[in-house]
Amino acid sequence: MWIWALLLLPAAFGQQTGEPWPEWTPGTLDIHQINTGRGNSALLIFPDGTSMLIDAGDGGRLPPRGTAPRPDASRGPGEWIARYVRRMLAHDAAPAIDYGYLTHFHEDHMGAPGQNSKTARGGYKVAGITEVAEYIPIRKMIDRGWPDYHYPAPLEDAMMRNYRAFLAWQRAHNGLQIERLHPGRNDQIVLLREPKRYPNFEVRNIAANGEVWTGVGTNTRAQFPRIQDLRKEEHPTENMCSLAIRVSYGKFDYFTGGDMPGARRWGAPVWNDVETPVAQSVGAVEASLLNHHGNRDSQNAFFLASLRPRVLIIPVWSSDHPGHDVLDRIYSQRIYPGPRDVFATNMLESNRLVIGELLDRLKSSQGHIVVRVDPGGSSFRVIILDDTAETFRVKAVFGPYESR
Ligand SMILES: [Zn+2]
């Protein structure tokens, strides 16, 4: 018996409240929901060390309706994110982001330059993803618009012009590769170092621009009507066009789908609900990031009943994240039975006052949220890291959870 206790020691070391963050080790899948208070950003470290950054927001609102910047406002969110990534990739002799990935083109996911934004060597402004690249190299960008940025109509505002100037300069000077996400495929985002060592790891592309994987082979179907058949005001919104992927490691599955909606507004056409076709192909998962920050138009009952997440993560930056009804659905035993733990990166007091006791059920409501999946994928933990400084002290550990 004592031998087993000894074997368990290294895995348990550091994953204790008050201890410093235990470094990533080969075979582990880490999913960090980074809290800057200014929008979404997640770092994934795959079992062979391949790294992926999903979004790098620099937007949202300022307090009191928006959350406060974390750790503080002395640096931009992109710089904080880059510093976080460098720290978590400290095991790597030459840390870099192998895959940069934007779920969609909104400032709380990619960053919008403002009056005070600095200008990069390449002549573009730095904010969000373009600021991240100032501090750590990005090798490949994946988004929903490359190469023409024309869907559903030409994307030509100041933020997009700046982003495209960034892509062009990084491509010419740093060899940046750029791709559009191809729904249905499982060979676009792959292990780059030791793929043969982890054959049960997969990233499946689920959706982009309303093109959704059917669950069969690499087949997809179009959720949206043809653009030429729609009036401009009927076009799919930026949120509806969000990219979605499923990350699988053995029995463990994780879903992340940007700001896709699933609860239609009154009178809106059926195709405005993107969650339903997505849920049909994704199936059950262990952990899921809430779509659209848990806003009232997300997490419909069919979507929740299909994914049945054991762990749900809410990336919050506003006083309406999450919606009261959304939290009610999430905790509903009628929608899906069994236990579930819900974690939020932030929570505003105003939302606490409105929602009340349902919000008191959150397991955590402040800090970076890390899903650490054990080698092979059969079990995982959720670790909350202090976001007030760069000490990355462990605030709390939940689990282990069994993958199903
Ligand atoms: Zn958003």
Side-chain angles (χ1 to χ4, degrees):
M1 189 114 154
W2 61 272
I3 290 176
W4 289 110
L6 276 180
L7 285 174
L8 286 170
L9 260 179
F13 176 75
Q15 295 182 352
Q16 304 290 334
T17 306
E19 303 252 336
W21 165 247
E23 255 194 38
W24 173 90
T25 48
T28 300
L29 165 65
D30 278 350
I31 302 167
H32 296 254
Q33 195 64 38
I34 304 169
N35 184 33
T36 64
R38 303 288 293 144
N40 282 18
S41 190
L43 169 70
L44 281 66
I45 309 176
F46 297 165
D48 73 340
T50 301
S51 61
M52 176 171 181
L53 186 72
I54 301 182
D55 290 337
D58 183 352
R61 298 187 187 96
L62 293 170
R65 278 206 79 199
T67 50
R70 292 281 173 158
D72 55 47
S74 65
R75 303 175 196 278
E79 186 179 353
W80 284 125
I81 292 165
R83 291 168 67 93
Y84 187 109
V85 172
R86 291 189 81 97
R87 163 66 189 264
M88 295 307 164
L89 298 181
H91 54 269
D92 205 318
I97 294 166
D98 294 311
Y99 296 104
Y101 169 108
L102 297 180
T103 57
H104 63 299
F105 303 132
H106 274 159
E107 60 182 39
D108 59 319
H109 297 260
M110 66 186 286
Q115 288 172 338
N116 301 326
S117 302
K118 287 182 223 151
T119 301
R121 216 150 49 90
Y124 52 85
K125 299 279 188 185
V126 298
I129 191 72
T130 61
E131 187 177 26
V132 170
E134 290 289 290
Y135 300 97
I136 184 165
I138 302 175
R139 300 211 166 107
K140 181 181 279 189
M141 278 303 305
I142 297 177
D143 64 31
R144 74 168 193 85
W146 174 263
D148 55 345
Y149 298 89
H150 250 69
Y151 186 87
L155 304 165
E156 290 170 336
D157 64 14
M159 179 176 70
M160 289 308 294
R161 281 201 306 275
N162 189 68
Y163 171 61
R164 293 180 69 179
F166 155 79
L167 293 180
W169 193 87
Q170 291 284 344
R171 193 176 184 220
H173 294 86
N174 290 335
L176 176 72
Q177 295 177 281
I178 313 158
E179 293 178 1
R180 181 191 291 219
L181 190 83
H182 299 287
R185 282 172 49 180
N186 63 349
D187 62 353
Q188 187 176 13
I189 301 166
V190 295
L191 299 179
L192 297 171
R193 295 163 197 203
E194 295 185 90
K196 291 209 174 74
R197 198 163 166 191
Y198 306 101
N200 63 353
F201 179 86
E202 177 194 83
V203 178
R204 174 72 66 172
N205 302 347
I206 304 293
N209 301 317
E211 185 187 348
V212 183
W213 183 46
T214 61
V216 179
T218 57
N219 296 339
T220 59
R221 63 185 146 139
Q223 168 74 354
F224 304 155
R226 296 184 314 168
I227 290 304
Q228 57 266 43
D229 295 339
L230 297 173
R231 295 195 302 271
K232 187 136 204 287
E233 60 271 26
E234 298 171 324
H235 279 181
T237 64
E238 185 60 42
N239 286 350
M240 291 175 201
C241 293
S242 287
L243 306 186
I245 54 170
R246 182 185 67 191
V247 179
S248 302
Y249 188 24
K251 286 198 267 180
F252 174 87
D253 297 286
Y254 168 79
F255 175 80
T256 177
D259 282 0
M260 67 171 53
R264 282 184 290 136
R265 307 186 72 172
W266 295 113
V270 173
W271 60 263
N272 278 197
D273 165 10
V274 183
E275 284 181 348
T276 295
V278 161
Q280 283 167 343
S281 67
V282 169
V285 302
E286 274 52 50
S288 177
L289 187 73
L290 261 62
N291 298 326
H292 199 193
H293 320 276
N295 179 277
R296 68 184 84 79
D297 69 0
S298 68
Q299 270 67 227
N300 73 39
F302 177 80
F303 180 85
L304 285 168
S306 302
L307 270 69
R308 304 193 288 281
R310 179 67 179 84
V311 162
L312 300 102
I313 297 161
I314 320 178
V316 170
W317 57 256
S318 167
S319 55
D320 61 351
H321 301 157
H324 196 162
D325 286 4
V326 172
L327 209 57
D328 195 42
R329 285 197 289 278
I330 284 174
Y331 281 120
S332 166
Q333 290 290 323
R334 286 184 174 148
I335 289 179
Y336 71 103
R340 69 216 60 186
D341 291 349
V342 187
F343 303 85
T345 54
N346 277 292
M347 195 50 61
L348 281 162
E349 194 54 32
S350 47
N351 206 14
R352 238 185 250 285
L353 290 172
V354 170
I355 296 185
E357 62 171 18
L358 262 185
L359 259 188
D360 297 338
R361 291 168 67 176
L362 294 185
K363 293 290 179 185
S364 166
S365 57
Q366 189 70 55
H368 309 297
I369 301 164
V370 190
V371 177
R372 168 156 281 187
V373 187
D374 296 325
S378 58
S379 59
F380 63 102
R381 290 172 179 78
V382 176
I383 302 170
I384 310 302
L385 297 182
D386 183 12
D387 62 12
T388 60
E390 290 180 314
T391 51
F392 303 110
R393 195 175 45 80
V394 173
K395 281 178 76 179
V397 181
F398 298 88
Y401 304 93
E402 293 250 332
S403 302
R404 301 161 294 190

